[in-house]
Amino acid sequence: REGFMWFGTREGLSRYDGYRILTFRSGKTTPDLLTDNQITCITDSWERILIGTKKGLNILNKKTGEIKKILSPVIPNNVISCLLVMSDHSVWLGTDSGLCKYDAENGTFVVYNRELTGGVLDYTAIKSLLEDSEGDLWIGTWSSGLYRYVPSTGKFYAYPTMNERNSAHVIYEDTNKNIWVGSWNCGL
Protein backbone atom coordinates (compact mmCIF):
# COMPACT_ATOMS: atom_id res chain seq x y z
CA ARG A 1 0.00 0.00 0.00
CA GLU A 2 2.84 2.37 0.79
CA GLY A 3 5.15 1.01 -1.91
CA PHE A 4 7.19 -1.26 0.36
CA MET A 5 7.87 -4.94 -0.12
CA TRP A 6 7.99 -7.00 3.08
CA PHE A 7 9.94 -10.25 3.46
CA GLY A 8 9.92 -12.72 6.31
CA THR A 9 13.26 -14.51 6.68
CA ARG A 10 15.05 -16.75 9.15
CA GLU A 11 16.90 -13.66 10.34
CA GLY A 12 14.01 -11.25 10.87
CA LEU A 13 11.56 -9.08 8.97
CA SER A 14 12.90 -7.05 6.03
CA ARG A 15 11.35 -4.04 4.31
CA TYR A 16 12.49 -3.05 0.81
CA ASP A 17 11.67 0.45 -0.46
CA GLY A 18 13.15 0.09 -3.96
CA TYR A 19 16.57 1.36 -2.87
CA ARG A 20 17.55 -0.25 0.40
CA ILE A 21 16.57 -2.95 2.85
CA LEU A 22 15.70 -2.26 6.48
CA THR A 23 15.69 -5.34 8.70
CA PHE A 24 13.82 -5.66 11.98
CA ARG A 25 15.46 -8.33 14.15
CA SER A 26 16.44 -9.06 17.70
CA GLY A 27 20.18 -8.78 18.21
CA LYS A 28 22.89 -7.19 20.35
CA THR A 29 21.65 -3.64 19.82
CA THR A 30 17.94 -4.53 19.81
CA PRO A 31 17.43 -7.45 22.17
CA ASP A 32 13.88 -8.72 22.39
CA LEU A 33 12.67 -6.65 19.40
CA LEU A 34 10.75 -9.69 18.11
CA THR A 35 9.54 -12.79 19.92
CA ASP A 36 11.76 -14.73 17.47
CA ASN A 37 13.81 -13.83 14.38
CA GLN A 38 12.54 -16.82 12.41
CA ILE A 39 9.56 -15.37 10.54
CA THR A 40 7.01 -17.97 9.44
CA CYS A 41 4.35 -15.67 7.91
CA ILE A 42 3.46 -12.01 7.48
CA THR A 43 0.41 -10.05 6.40
CA ASP A 44 -0.18 -6.37 5.76
CA SER A 45 -3.19 -5.03 7.63
CA TRP A 46 -3.72 -1.32 6.95
CA GLU A 47 -1.68 0.47 9.63
CA ARG A 48 0.18 -2.62 10.83
CA ILE A 49 2.15 -5.63 9.75
CA LEU A 50 1.26 -8.88 11.52
CA ILE A 51 4.29 -11.13 11.94
CA GLY A 52 4.07 -14.81 12.81
CA THR A 53 7.13 -16.53 14.22
CA LYS A 54 8.13 -19.85 15.76
CA LYS A 55 7.57 -18.18 19.14
CA GLY A 56 4.44 -16.04 18.89
CA LEU A 57 2.83 -13.08 17.18
CA ASN A 58 4.33 -9.63 16.64
CA ILE A 59 2.52 -6.52 15.42
CA LEU A 60 4.50 -3.74 13.75
CA ASN A 61 2.89 -0.30 13.78
CA LYS A 62 3.85 1.08 10.35
CA LYS A 63 3.53 4.71 11.46
CA THR A 64 5.64 4.53 14.62
CA GLY A 65 7.86 1.52 13.89
CA GLU A 66 7.00 0.08 17.30
CA ILE A 67 6.59 -3.68 17.60
CA LYS A 68 4.18 -5.27 20.04
CA LYS A 69 5.20 -8.79 21.04
CA ILE A 70 2.46 -11.26 21.90
CA LEU A 71 3.18 -14.55 23.60
CA SER A 72 -0.03 -16.03 24.90
CA PRO A 73 -0.38 -19.08 27.13
CA VAL A 74 -3.70 -19.90 25.41
CA ILE A 75 -2.00 -20.36 22.01
CA PRO A 76 -0.74 -23.93 21.94
CA ASN A 77 3.09 -23.80 21.64
CA ASN A 78 2.99 -20.28 20.07
CA VAL A 79 4.18 -21.50 16.63
CA ILE A 80 2.29 -19.36 14.10
CA SER A 81 2.20 -21.00 10.65
CA CYS A 82 -0.25 -18.70 8.82
CA LEU A 83 -2.15 -15.45 9.31
CA LEU A 84 -5.25 -13.96 7.73
CA VAL A 85 -7.00 -10.64 8.20
CA MET A 86 -10.52 -11.02 6.84
CA SER A 87 -12.58 -8.28 5.21
CA ASP A 88 -14.39 -7.69 8.53
CA HIS A 89 -10.91 -7.00 10.05
CA SER A 90 -10.95 -10.16 12.18
CA VAL A 91 -7.49 -11.68 12.62
CA TRP A 92 -7.10 -15.46 12.30
CA LEU A 93 -4.00 -17.46 13.15
CA GLY A 94 -3.12 -20.96 12.10
CA THR A 95 -0.77 -22.60 14.56
CA ASP A 96 1.00 -25.93 14.75
CA SER A 97 -1.68 -26.94 17.24
CA GLY A 98 -4.90 -25.35 16.00
CA LEU A 99 -6.94 -22.36 14.87
CA CYS A 100 -7.07 -19.11 16.84
CA LYS A 101 -8.81 -15.77 16.48
CA TYR A 102 -7.12 -12.66 17.84
CA ASP A 103 -9.16 -9.81 19.31
CA ALA A 104 -6.79 -6.84 18.89
CA GLU A 105 -9.05 -4.48 20.82
CA ASN A 106 -8.90 -6.61 23.99
CA GLY A 107 -5.57 -8.36 23.32
CA THR A 108 -7.20 -11.77 23.75
CA PHE A 109 -7.34 -15.00 21.78
CA VAL A 110 -10.00 -17.61 21.18
CA VAL A 111 -8.63 -21.10 20.48
CA TYR A 112 -11.05 -23.16 18.40
CA ASN A 113 -11.33 -26.74 19.63
CA ARG A 114 -13.95 -29.47 19.22
CA GLU A 115 -16.24 -27.80 21.73
CA LEU A 116 -16.26 -24.40 19.98
CA THR A 117 -16.57 -25.90 16.47
CA GLY A 118 -19.50 -28.22 17.12
CA GLY A 119 -17.25 -31.29 17.22
CA VAL A 120 -15.78 -30.54 13.78
CA LEU A 121 -12.26 -29.15 14.23
CA ASP A 122 -9.83 -30.22 16.91
CA TYR A 123 -6.26 -29.29 17.75
CA THR A 124 -4.30 -29.89 14.53
CA ALA A 125 -1.54 -28.25 12.51
CA ILE A 126 -3.11 -25.46 10.42
CA LYS A 127 -1.12 -24.70 7.26
CA SER A 128 -3.32 -22.31 5.26
CA LEU A 129 -6.19 -19.87 5.66
CA LEU A 130 -8.27 -18.25 2.92
CA GLU A 131 -11.25 -15.92 2.88
CA ASP A 132 -13.33 -16.70 -0.19
CA SER A 133 -15.46 -14.30 -2.22
CA GLU A 134 -18.49 -15.15 -0.04
CA GLY A 135 -16.68 -14.22 3.19
CA ASP A 136 -16.23 -17.82 4.37
CA LEU A 137 -12.98 -18.92 6.02
CA TRP A 138 -11.26 -21.98 4.52
CA ILE A 139 -8.85 -23.85 6.77
CA GLY A 140 -6.19 -26.19 5.41
CA THR A 141 -4.33 -28.61 7.66
CA TRP A 142 -1.15 -30.65 7.55
CA SER A 143 -2.88 -34.02 7.79
CA SER A 144 -6.44 -33.53 9.03
CA GLY A 145 -8.04 -32.29 5.82
CA LEU A 146 -9.98 -29.24 4.72
CA TYR A 147 -12.49 -27.22 6.74
CA ARG A 148 -14.72 -24.22 6.20
CA TYR A 149 -16.12 -21.73 8.69
CA VAL A 150 -19.20 -19.68 7.78
CA PRO A 151 -19.14 -16.51 9.92
CA SER A 152 -22.78 -15.63 9.19
CA THR A 153 -23.97 -18.87 10.83
CA GLY A 154 -21.03 -19.57 13.14
CA LYS A 155 -20.80 -23.14 11.79
CA PHE A 156 -17.77 -25.22 10.84
CA TYR A 157 -17.80 -27.87 8.11
CA ALA A 158 -15.34 -30.70 7.44
CA TYR A 159 -14.68 -32.02 3.94
CA PRO A 160 -14.03 -35.65 3.01
CA THR A 161 -10.50 -37.04 2.84
CA MET A 162 -9.02 -35.70 -0.37
CA ASN A 163 -5.69 -37.54 -0.68
CA GLU A 164 -3.64 -40.24 1.00
CA ARG A 165 -2.14 -37.77 3.49
CA ASN A 166 -5.39 -35.81 3.97
CA SER A 167 -3.25 -32.73 3.40
CA ALA A 168 -4.70 -29.32 2.50
CA HIS A 169 -1.47 -27.35 2.50
CA VAL A 170 -2.41 -24.41 0.22
CA ILE A 171 -5.87 -23.01 -0.65
CA TYR A 172 -6.68 -20.71 -3.56
CA GLU A 173 -9.88 -19.30 -5.08
CA ASP A 174 -9.87 -18.58 -8.82
CA THR A 175 -11.88 -15.95 -10.71
CA ASN A 176 -14.68 -18.48 -11.30
CA LYS A 177 -15.04 -18.98 -7.53
CA ASN A 178 -13.55 -22.49 -7.68
CA ILE A 179 -11.57 -23.48 -4.60
CA TRP A 180 -8.24 -25.17 -5.38
CA VAL A 181 -6.38 -27.15 -2.73
CA GLY A 182 -2.71 -28.03 -2.96
CA SER A 183 -1.49 -30.89 -0.83
CA TRP A 184 1.87 -31.91 0.53
CA ASN A 185 3.33 -34.23 -2.14
CA CYS A 186 -0.09 -35.47 -3.35
CA GLY A 187 -0.91 -32.88 -6.03
CA LEU A 188 -4.00 -30.68 -6.38
Side-chain angles (χ1 to χ4, degrees):
R1 296 185 180 115
E2 295 85 15
F4 297 122
M5 294 176 71
W6 295 90
F7 302 94
T9 73
R10 291 183 192 172
E11 295 299 321
L13 178 71
S14 296
R15 183 186 76 188
Y16 179 61
D17 65 6
Y19 301 98
R20 58 192 137 92
I21 296 174
L22 173 64
T23 301
F24 300 85
R25 68 184 306 266
S26 296
K28 290 180 183 178
T29 58
T30 55
D32 300 322
L33 182 66
L34 298 167
T35 55
D36 186 43
N37 285 331
Q38 194 169 33
I39 309 301
T40 54
C41 52
I42 56 176
T43 191
D44 190 340
S45 174
W46 297 274
E47 295 178 359
R48 59 193 177 173
I49 299 289
L50 299 167
I51 310 155
T53 72
K54 295 275 186 181
K55 295 180 183 171
L57 177 66
N58 301 265
I59 301 174
L60 169 67
N61 181 316
K62 291 192 285 188
K63 289 183 179 179
T64 66
E66 293 179 16
I67 297 175
K68 180 179 179 180
K69 299 177 297 202
I70 302 169
L71 281 168
S72 176
V74 300
I75 300 175
N77 78 17
N78 275 293
V79 176
I80 312 294
S81 52
C82 53
L83 292 162
L84 176 68
V85 179
M86 292 184 62
S87 56
D88 67 359
H89 305 288
S90 59
V91 177
W92 294 85
L93 294 81
T95 75
D96 274 4
S97 301
L99 179 68
C100 301
K101 185 176 180 182
Y102 176 60
D103 180 349
E105 193 172 301
N106 297 315
T108 59
F109 291 88
V110 174
V111 178
Y112 286 83
N113 56 22
R114 278 201 176 290
E115 182 181 326
L116 290 177
T117 63
V120 176
L121 181 64
D122 207 357
Y123 298 114
T124 187
I126 307 294
K127 292 298 171 187
S128 58
L129 298 170
L130 169 82
E131 180 181 13
D132 70 15
S133 55
E134 303 295 319
D136 291 351
L137 173 64
W138 291 82
I139 305 147
T141 69
W142 177 254
S143 61
S144 297
L146 180 67
Y147 299 86
R148 183 171 53 102
Y149 171 64
V150 180
S152 61
T153 64
K155 290 189 178 182
F156 282 81
Y157 299 90
Y159 285 81
T161 299
M162 57 181 58
N163 55 57
E164 62 197 46
R165 293 182 181 203
N166 206 14
S167 166
H169 208 73
V170 179
I171 309 169
Y172 174 77
E173 181 180 23
D174 67 21
T175 56
N176 294 320
K177 299 185 179 184
N178 295 308
I179 301 294
W180 294 82
V181 180
S183 67
W184 186 259
N185 201 33
C186 294
L188 286 173

